[in-house]
Amino acid sequence: MTEWYERTGRIAVLTGAGISTDSGIPDFRGPRGVWTEDPIAELLSTYDNYLADSGLRERSWLARRDNPAWGARPNDAHRALVELERSGRGVTIITQNIDRLHQQAGSAPQRVVEIHGNMFDVVCVGCAYTASMAAALERVAAGESDPPCPECGGILKADVIMFGQALDQRTLMKAALAAETAEIFLAIGTSLQVEPAASLCGRAVAAGASLIIVNAEPTPYDSLATEVVREPIGTALPRLVDLILGR
Ligand code: ZN
């Protein structure tokens, strides 16, 4: 019988906060998670609150400025996925993370689907204006506590998907296509409790993929998985990549 890692087709990888904790970026709901230690941070992530309250927006800019992702470096798990891609296998990374560590590690930007956006770009909620977060934070440092859009005067926000905000449909279609055409679907460091990311696992399995889950805690999809791995991601993922590459 063929083992899952001997399958030679496309590979989809779904990554969540757990892959970045070794890089010093805390997860959200764990014991030392962002929202556990600072409930206001969760409030900041709700779209309607953000639009309604300039005080929240001022806090949000400062939180972006102080985000640990600015100084974070990719870790062995990010690098293992780069090796997998460079081996010539068709790899698509679908990430819930906004930290850009996959691209910083060397994953091709066009092979990374950021379903929750990223924190290094800024968008206007009223027009098509975009800028870098660094430029927006320079305006904050220069005294604009909630810098408005220079084109239309509207509200600016990080290019991340907040609670209460619809996901980008084209991005979702890319993710679904990657899931449904994969022979191996790796779900790494995600609790698989947030839709639609979670149900990508089900779509992949329904389309014939072998599902491999690497997560410290149980997930709702464990029973669908060919293999569930509980060891730390920083050692588990390089080991799994070695298996797939037959070395
Ligand atoms: Zn605007």
Side-chain angles (χ1 to χ4, degrees), residues 142-200:
E144 294 180 87
S145 55
D146 178 28
C149 173
E151 302 285 341
C152 76
I155 293 171
L156 296 183
K157 67 182 280 295
D159 190 14
V160 301
I161 304 293
M162 294 179 158
F163 291 115
Q165 199 180 7
L167 275 69
D168 180 71
Q169 283 305 311
R170 282 182 56 193
T171 304
L172 280 182
M173 284 174 63
K174 269 195 209 170
L177 184 68
E180 289 170 356
T181 56
E183 286 198 344
I184 299 173
F185 190 100
L186 305 173
I188 312 293
T190 166
S191 58
L192 299 178
Q193 286 170 9
V194 179
E195 292 302 337
S199 58
L200 290 171

Short mmCIF file of all heavy atoms in Angstrom, two decimals, residues 142-200:
data_model
loop_
_atom_site.label_atom_id
_atom_site.label_comp_id
_atom_site.label_asym_id
_atom_site.label_seq_id
_atom_site.Cartn_x
_atom_site.Cartn_y
_atom_site.Cartn_z
N ALA A 142 4.82 61.10 13.31
CA ALA A 142 4.93 62.54 13.07
C ALA A 142 3.77 63.32 13.68
O ALA A 142 3.71 64.55 13.52
CB ALA A 142 5.02 62.81 11.57
N GLY A 143 2.83 62.61 14.34
CA GLY A 143 1.80 63.33 15.07
C GLY A 143 0.36 63.08 14.64
O GLY A 143 -0.57 63.55 15.29
N GLU A 144 0.16 62.35 13.53
CA GLU A 144 -1.21 62.02 13.12
C GLU A 144 -1.63 60.74 13.86
O GLU A 144 -1.22 59.66 13.49
CB GLU A 144 -1.30 61.79 11.61
CG GLU A 144 -1.03 63.02 10.78
CD GLU A 144 -1.14 62.72 9.28
OE1 GLU A 144 -2.24 62.80 8.74
OE2 GLU A 144 -0.11 62.39 8.67
N SER A 145 -2.43 60.89 14.91
CA SER A 145 -2.71 59.71 15.74
C SER A 145 -3.60 58.70 15.02
O SER A 145 -3.57 57.51 15.31
CB SER A 145 -3.38 60.14 17.05
OG SER A 145 -4.53 60.92 16.78
N ASP A 146 -4.40 59.17 14.04
CA ASP A 146 -5.22 58.27 13.22
C ASP A 146 -5.18 58.79 11.79
O ASP A 146 -6.10 59.48 11.35
CB ASP A 146 -6.65 58.23 13.76
CG ASP A 146 -7.56 57.35 12.90
OD1 ASP A 146 -7.06 56.39 12.27
OD2 ASP A 146 -8.78 57.62 12.86
N PRO A 147 -4.11 58.51 11.05
CA PRO A 147 -3.91 59.15 9.74
C PRO A 147 -5.03 58.81 8.76
O PRO A 147 -5.32 57.63 8.57
CB PRO A 147 -2.57 58.58 9.27
CG PRO A 147 -2.34 57.35 10.08
CD PRO A 147 -3.03 57.56 11.38
N PRO A 148 -5.66 59.83 8.16
CA PRO A 148 -6.71 59.56 7.17
C PRO A 148 -6.14 59.29 5.79
O PRO A 148 -4.96 59.55 5.53
CB PRO A 148 -7.51 60.87 7.18
CG PRO A 148 -6.49 61.92 7.51
CD PRO A 148 -5.49 61.26 8.43
N CYS A 149 -6.99 58.77 4.90
CA CYS A 149 -6.61 58.53 3.51
C CYS A 149 -6.29 59.86 2.83
O CYS A 149 -7.11 60.78 2.85
CB CYS A 149 -7.74 57.83 2.77
SG CYS A 149 -7.44 57.66 1.00
N PRO A 150 -5.09 59.98 2.21
CA PRO A 150 -4.75 61.24 1.54
C PRO A 150 -5.56 61.46 0.26
O PRO A 150 -5.62 62.57 -0.24
CB PRO A 150 -3.26 61.08 1.23
CG PRO A 150 -2.97 59.62 1.32
CD PRO A 150 -4.01 59.00 2.19
N GLU A 151 -6.18 60.42 -0.27
CA GLU A 151 -6.97 60.56 -1.51
C GLU A 151 -8.40 61.02 -1.22
O GLU A 151 -8.94 61.87 -1.89
CB GLU A 151 -7.03 59.21 -2.26
CG GLU A 151 -5.67 58.64 -2.63
CD GLU A 151 -5.02 59.39 -3.80
OE1 GLU A 151 -5.73 60.08 -4.55
OE2 GLU A 151 -3.78 59.27 -3.94
N CYS A 152 -9.05 60.38 -0.22
CA CYS A 152 -10.48 60.64 -0.03
C CYS A 152 -10.83 61.04 1.40
O CYS A 152 -12.00 61.31 1.70
CB CYS A 152 -11.30 59.40 -0.44
SG CYS A 152 -11.26 58.05 0.75
N GLY A 153 -9.84 61.07 2.28
CA GLY A 153 -10.13 61.44 3.67
C GLY A 153 -10.73 60.32 4.49
O GLY A 153 -11.08 60.51 5.66
N GLY A 154 -10.85 59.13 3.89
CA GLY A 154 -11.48 57.99 4.57
C GLY A 154 -10.58 57.35 5.61
O GLY A 154 -9.44 57.79 5.86
N ILE A 155 -11.10 56.29 6.20
CA ILE A 155 -10.39 55.57 7.27
C ILE A 155 -9.40 54.58 6.67
O ILE A 155 -9.74 53.81 5.77
CB ILE A 155 -11.42 54.84 8.17
CG1 ILE A 155 -12.27 55.87 8.93
CG2 ILE A 155 -10.74 53.87 9.12
CD1 ILE A 155 -13.45 55.27 9.67
N LEU A 156 -8.18 54.61 7.18
CA LEU A 156 -7.16 53.63 6.76
C LEU A 156 -7.10 52.50 7.76
O LEU A 156 -7.35 52.68 8.95
CB LEU A 156 -5.78 54.29 6.68
CG LEU A 156 -5.57 55.40 5.65
CD1 LEU A 156 -4.11 55.86 5.67
CD2 LEU A 156 -5.95 54.93 4.25
N LYS A 157 -6.76 51.32 7.25
CA LYS A 157 -6.57 50.16 8.14
C LYS A 157 -5.52 49.24 7.54
O LYS A 157 -5.23 49.30 6.35
CB LYS A 157 -7.88 49.39 8.34
CG LYS A 157 -8.40 48.72 7.07
CD LYS A 157 -9.73 48.02 7.32
CE LYS A 157 -9.56 46.66 7.98
NZ LYS A 157 -8.86 45.67 7.13
N ALA A 158 -4.94 48.40 8.39
CA ALA A 158 -4.04 47.36 7.89
C ALA A 158 -4.81 46.47 6.92
O ALA A 158 -6.02 46.27 7.06
CB ALA A 158 -3.50 46.53 9.06
N ASP A 159 -4.09 45.90 5.96
CA ASP A 159 -4.73 45.05 4.95
C ASP A 159 -4.95 43.64 5.51
O ASP A 159 -4.53 42.65 4.93
CB ASP A 159 -3.86 45.01 3.69
CG ASP A 159 -4.57 44.33 2.52
OD1 ASP A 159 -5.80 44.14 2.62
OD2 ASP A 159 -3.90 44.00 1.54
N VAL A 160 -5.56 43.60 6.69
CA VAL A 160 -5.88 42.31 7.32
C VAL A 160 -7.40 42.19 7.42
O VAL A 160 -8.10 43.19 7.48
CB VAL A 160 -5.26 42.17 8.73
CG1 VAL A 160 -3.75 42.29 8.67
CG2 VAL A 160 -5.82 43.21 9.69
N ILE A 161 -7.85 40.93 7.42
CA ILE A 161 -9.28 40.69 7.55
C ILE A 161 -9.64 40.74 9.04
O ILE A 161 -9.11 39.99 9.85
CB ILE A 161 -9.66 39.31 6.98
CG1 ILE A 161 -9.20 39.17 5.52
CG2 ILE A 161 -11.16 39.07 7.12
CD1 ILE A 161 -9.90 40.08 4.55
N MET A 162 -10.54 41.65 9.40
CA MET A 162 -10.99 41.75 10.79
C MET A 162 -12.24 40.89 10.99
O MET A 162 -12.92 40.53 10.03
CB MET A 162 -11.30 43.20 11.11
CG MET A 162 -10.09 44.11 11.09
SD MET A 162 -10.57 45.82 11.46
CE MET A 162 -9.00 46.47 12.01
N PHE A 163 -12.56 40.62 12.25
CA PHE A 163 -13.84 39.98 12.54
C PHE A 163 -14.97 40.84 11.98
O PHE A 163 -14.93 42.06 12.09
CB PHE A 163 -14.04 39.82 14.05
CG PHE A 163 -13.12 38.83 14.66
CD1 PHE A 163 -12.16 39.23 15.58
CD2 PHE A 163 -13.19 37.49 14.32
CE1 PHE A 163 -11.30 38.32 16.16
CE2 PHE A 163 -12.32 36.56 14.89
CZ PHE A 163 -11.38 36.98 15.80
N GLY A 164 -15.95 40.19 11.38
CA GLY A 164 -17.08 40.94 10.84
C GLY A 164 -16.83 41.45 9.44
O GLY A 164 -17.66 42.18 8.90
N GLN A 165 -15.71 41.10 8.85
CA GLN A 165 -15.36 41.56 7.52
C GLN A 165 -15.29 40.36 6.59
O GLN A 165 -14.74 39.31 6.97
CB GLN A 165 -13.98 42.26 7.59
CG GLN A 165 -13.70 43.16 6.42
CD GLN A 165 -12.33 43.81 6.53
OE1 GLN A 165 -11.52 43.51 7.42
NE2 GLN A 165 -12.06 44.71 5.61
N ALA A 166 -15.84 40.51 5.39
CA ALA A 166 -15.84 39.39 4.44
C ALA A 166 -14.43 39.12 3.94
O ALA A 166 -13.63 40.04 3.77
CB ALA A 166 -16.76 39.70 3.27
N LEU A 167 -14.13 37.84 3.69
CA LEU A 167 -12.85 37.51 3.09
C LEU A 167 -12.90 37.81 1.60
O LEU A 167 -13.97 37.88 1.00
CB LEU A 167 -12.52 36.03 3.32
CG LEU A 167 -11.85 35.72 4.66
CD1 LEU A 167 -12.79 35.92 5.82
CD2 LEU A 167 -11.27 34.31 4.68
N ASP A 168 -11.72 38.00 1.02
CA ASP A 168 -11.62 38.30 -0.40
C ASP A 168 -11.99 37.05 -1.21
O ASP A 168 -11.39 35.98 -1.04
CB ASP A 168 -10.19 38.75 -0.70
CG ASP A 168 -10.01 39.08 -2.17
OD1 ASP A 168 -10.56 40.10 -2.60
OD2 ASP A 168 -9.35 38.30 -2.88
N GLN A 169 -12.97 37.19 -2.11
CA GLN A 169 -13.48 36.01 -2.83
C GLN A 169 -12.44 35.38 -3.75
O GLN A 169 -12.36 34.16 -3.85
CB GLN A 169 -14.73 36.40 -3.62
CG GLN A 169 -15.97 36.54 -2.77
CD GLN A 169 -16.29 35.29 -1.95
OE1 GLN A 169 -16.31 34.17 -2.47
NE2 GLN A 169 -16.50 35.46 -0.65
N ARG A 170 -11.64 36.21 -4.42
CA ARG A 170 -10.64 35.63 -5.32
C ARG A 170 -9.59 34.85 -4.54
O ARG A 170 -9.11 33.80 -4.96
CB ARG A 170 -9.97 36.74 -6.14
CG ARG A 170 -10.83 37.22 -7.29
CD ARG A 170 -10.11 38.28 -8.10
NE ARG A 170 -8.81 37.83 -8.61
CZ ARG A 170 -7.91 38.65 -9.13
NH1 ARG A 170 -8.13 39.95 -9.18
NH2 ARG A 170 -6.77 38.17 -9.58
N THR A 171 -9.23 35.39 -3.38
CA THR A 171 -8.26 34.70 -2.52
C THR A 171 -8.83 33.37 -2.06
O THR A 171 -8.14 32.34 -2.06
CB THR A 171 -7.92 35.59 -1.31
OG1 THR A 171 -7.45 36.84 -1.79
CG2 THR A 171 -6.87 34.95 -0.42
N LEU A 172 -10.09 33.39 -1.68
CA LEU A 172 -10.74 32.15 -1.23
C LEU A 172 -10.81 31.12 -2.34
O LEU A 172 -10.61 29.92 -2.10
CB LEU A 172 -12.16 32.44 -0.76
CG LEU A 172 -12.29 33.01 0.64
CD1 LEU A 172 -13.75 33.20 0.99
CD2 LEU A 172 -11.62 32.07 1.63
N MET A 173 -11.07 31.57 -3.56
CA MET A 173 -11.13 30.62 -4.68
C MET A 173 -9.79 29.98 -4.93
O MET A 173 -9.69 28.79 -5.22
CB MET A 173 -11.65 31.33 -5.93
CG MET A 173 -13.15 31.56 -5.88
SD MET A 173 -13.74 32.55 -7.27
CE MET A 173 -13.32 31.46 -8.64
N LYS A 174 -8.72 30.78 -4.82
CA LYS A 174 -7.37 30.22 -4.97
C LYS A 174 -7.11 29.14 -3.92
O LYS A 174 -6.55 28.08 -4.21
CB LYS A 174 -6.33 31.32 -4.77
CG LYS A 174 -5.90 32.05 -6.00
CD LYS A 174 -4.61 32.81 -5.63
CE LYS A 174 -4.45 34.06 -6.44
NZ LYS A 174 -3.35 34.90 -5.93
N ALA A 175 -7.51 29.44 -2.67
CA ALA A 175 -7.29 28.49 -1.58
C ALA A 175 -8.09 27.21 -1.83
O ALA A 175 -7.57 26.10 -1.65
CB ALA A 175 -7.69 29.13 -0.25
N ALA A 176 -9.34 27.36 -2.24
CA ALA A 176 -10.18 26.19 -2.48
C ALA A 176 -9.61 25.34 -3.62
O ALA A 176 -9.58 24.10 -3.54
CB ALA A 176 -11.61 26.62 -2.79
N LEU A 177 -9.14 26.01 -4.68
CA LEU A 177 -8.57 25.28 -5.81
C LEU A 177 -7.34 24.49 -5.36
O LEU A 177 -7.16 23.33 -5.74
CB LEU A 177 -8.20 26.27 -6.92
CG LEU A 177 -7.66 25.65 -8.20
CD1 LEU A 177 -8.77 24.86 -8.91
CD2 LEU A 177 -7.10 26.72 -9.14
N ALA A 178 -6.49 25.12 -4.56
CA ALA A 178 -5.29 24.43 -4.07
C ALA A 178 -5.69 23.21 -3.23
O ALA A 178 -5.10 22.12 -3.36
CB ALA A 178 -4.44 25.38 -3.24
N ALA A 179 -6.72 23.37 -2.39
CA ALA A 179 -7.15 22.25 -1.54
C ALA A 179 -7.70 21.10 -2.38
O ALA A 179 -7.41 19.93 -2.13
CB ALA A 179 -8.20 22.74 -0.55
N GLU A 180 -8.48 21.44 -3.38
CA GLU A 180 -9.20 20.40 -4.14
C GLU A 180 -8.33 19.73 -5.19
O GLU A 180 -8.73 18.70 -5.75
CB GLU A 180 -10.45 21.02 -4.78
CG GLU A 180 -11.50 21.33 -3.71
CD GLU A 180 -12.66 22.16 -4.22
OE1 GLU A 180 -12.63 22.58 -5.39
OE2 GLU A 180 -13.59 22.39 -3.42
N THR A 181 -7.15 20.29 -5.48
CA THR A 181 -6.28 19.65 -6.46
C THR A 181 -5.04 19.03 -5.80
O THR A 181 -4.15 18.55 -6.49
CB THR A 181 -5.80 20.67 -7.53
OG1 THR A 181 -5.16 21.77 -6.88
CG2 THR A 181 -6.98 21.18 -8.34
N ALA A 182 -5.02 19.01 -4.46
CA ALA A 182 -3.84 18.48 -3.76
C ALA A 182 -4.00 16.98 -3.51
O ALA A 182 -5.10 16.48 -3.28
CB ALA A 182 -3.67 19.20 -2.43
N GLU A 183 -2.87 16.25 -3.55
CA GLU A 183 -2.86 14.85 -3.11
C GLU A 183 -2.46 14.76 -1.65
O GLU A 183 -2.78 13.79 -0.97
CB GLU A 183 -1.90 14.02 -3.97
CG GLU A 183 -2.45 13.73 -5.36
CD GLU A 183 -1.75 12.57 -6.05
OE1 GLU A 183 -0.64 12.17 -5.61
OE2 GLU A 183 -2.31 12.09 -7.06
N ILE A 184 -1.70 15.76 -1.19
CA ILE A 184 -1.30 15.82 0.22
C ILE A 184 -1.72 17.19 0.75
O ILE A 184 -1.43 18.21 0.13
CB ILE A 184 0.23 15.64 0.40
CG1 ILE A 184 0.67 14.27 -0.14
CG2 ILE A 184 0.62 15.80 1.87
CD1 ILE A 184 2.20 14.09 -0.15
N PHE A 185 -2.43 17.19 1.87
CA PHE A 185 -2.84 18.47 2.49
C PHE A 185 -2.28 18.48 3.90
O PHE A 185 -2.65 17.67 4.75
CB PHE A 185 -4.37 18.57 2.51
CG PHE A 185 -4.87 19.94 2.91
CD1 PHE A 185 -5.31 20.85 1.96
CD2 PHE A 185 -4.92 20.32 4.25
CE1 PHE A 185 -5.78 22.12 2.33
CE2 PHE A 185 -5.39 21.58 4.63
CZ PHE A 185 -5.83 22.47 3.65
N LEU A 186 -1.34 19.40 4.14
CA LEU A 186 -0.73 19.52 5.47
C LEU A 186 -1.38 20.69 6.19
O LEU A 186 -1.40 21.81 5.67
CB LEU A 186 0.78 19.80 5.35
CG LEU A 186 1.64 18.82 4.53
CD1 LEU A 186 3.06 19.36 4.39
CD2 LEU A 186 1.66 17.45 5.20
N ALA A 187 -1.93 20.45 7.37
CA ALA A 187 -2.51 21.52 8.20
C ALA A 187 -1.58 21.71 9.40
O ALA A 187 -1.45 20.82 10.24
CB ALA A 187 -3.91 21.16 8.65
N ILE A 188 -0.92 22.87 9.46
CA ILE A 188 0.20 23.07 10.39
C ILE A 188 -0.10 24.20 11.37
O ILE A 188 -0.26 25.36 10.97
CB ILE A 188 1.49 23.45 9.62
CG1 ILE A 188 1.74 22.53 8.43
CG2 ILE A 188 2.68 23.49 10.57
CD1 ILE A 188 2.07 21.11 8.81
N GLY A 189 -0.15 23.88 12.66
CA GLY A 189 -0.23 24.93 13.66
C GLY A 189 -1.51 25.74 13.61
O GLY A 189 -1.50 26.94 13.90
N THR A 190 -2.60 25.10 13.26
CA THR A 190 -3.89 25.78 13.25
C THR A 190 -4.90 24.92 14.00
O THR A 190 -4.90 23.69 13.85
CB THR A 190 -4.37 26.09 11.81
OG1 THR A 190 -5.75 26.45 11.84
CG2 THR A 190 -4.17 24.91 10.88
N SER A 191 -5.71 25.59 14.81
CA SER A 191 -6.69 24.85 15.61
C SER A 191 -7.88 24.40 14.77
O SER A 191 -8.73 23.64 15.23
CB SER A 191 -7.20 25.73 16.76
OG SER A 191 -7.77 26.92 16.23
N LEU A 192 -7.93 24.83 13.51
CA LEU A 192 -9.00 24.45 12.57
C LEU A 192 -10.38 24.75 13.13
O LEU A 192 -11.31 23.98 12.99
CB LEU A 192 -8.86 22.97 12.17
CG LEU A 192 -7.55 22.62 11.46
CD1 LEU A 192 -7.47 21.14 11.14
CD2 LEU A 192 -7.38 23.44 10.17
N GLN A 193 -10.49 25.90 13.78
CA GLN A 193 -11.77 26.31 14.33
C GLN A 193 -12.32 27.55 13.64
O GLN A 193 -13.43 27.98 13.92
CB GLN A 193 -11.63 26.58 15.84
CG GLN A 193 -11.51 25.27 16.60
CD GLN A 193 -11.12 25.44 18.05
OE1 GLN A 193 -11.09 26.56 18.55
NE2 GLN A 193 -10.83 24.35 18.71
N VAL A 194 -11.54 28.15 12.76
CA VAL A 194 -11.99 29.36 12.06
C VAL A 194 -12.32 29.00 10.62
O VAL A 194 -11.49 28.44 9.90
CB VAL A 194 -10.90 30.46 12.12
CG1 VAL A 194 -11.36 31.70 11.37
CG2 VAL A 194 -10.57 30.81 13.56
N GLU A 195 -13.54 29.32 10.20
CA GLU A 195 -13.91 29.13 8.80
C GLU A 195 -13.51 30.36 8.00
O GLU A 195 -13.44 31.44 8.56
CB GLU A 195 -15.42 28.89 8.70
CG GLU A 195 -15.89 27.57 9.28
CD GLU A 195 -15.22 26.37 8.65
OE1 GLU A 195 -14.73 26.47 7.49
OE2 GLU A 195 -15.16 25.33 9.30
N PRO A 196 -13.26 30.21 6.72
CA PRO A 196 -13.39 28.97 5.95
C PRO A 196 -12.12 28.14 5.91
O PRO A 196 -12.10 27.09 5.29
CB PRO A 196 -13.70 29.49 4.55
CG PRO A 196 -12.91 30.76 4.47
CD PRO A 196 -12.91 31.35 5.86
N ALA A 197 -11.08 28.61 6.62
CA ALA A 197 -9.81 27.87 6.57
C ALA A 197 -10.01 26.42 6.96
O ALA A 197 -9.52 25.50 6.31
CB ALA A 197 -8.79 28.55 7.49
N ALA A 198 -10.77 26.21 8.04
CA ALA A 198 -10.93 24.85 8.56
C ALA A 198 -11.54 23.91 7.52
O ALA A 198 -11.03 22.81 7.29
CB ALA A 198 -11.79 24.91 9.81
N SER A 199 -12.60 24.35 6.87
CA SER A 199 -13.30 23.44 5.97
C SER A 199 -12.51 23.12 4.71
O SER A 199 -12.86 22.20 3.97
CB SER A 199 -14.68 24.00 5.60
OG SER A 199 -14.54 25.26 5.01
N LEU A 200 -11.40 23.86 4.49
CA LEU A 200 -10.52 23.49 3.37
C LEU A 200 -10.01 22.06 3.56
O LEU A 200 -9.81 21.33 2.58
CB LEU A 200 -9.34 24.46 3.27
CG LEU A 200 -9.67 25.88 2.81
CD1 LEU A 200 -8.46 26.78 2.96
CD2 LEU A 200 -10.17 25.88 1.35
#
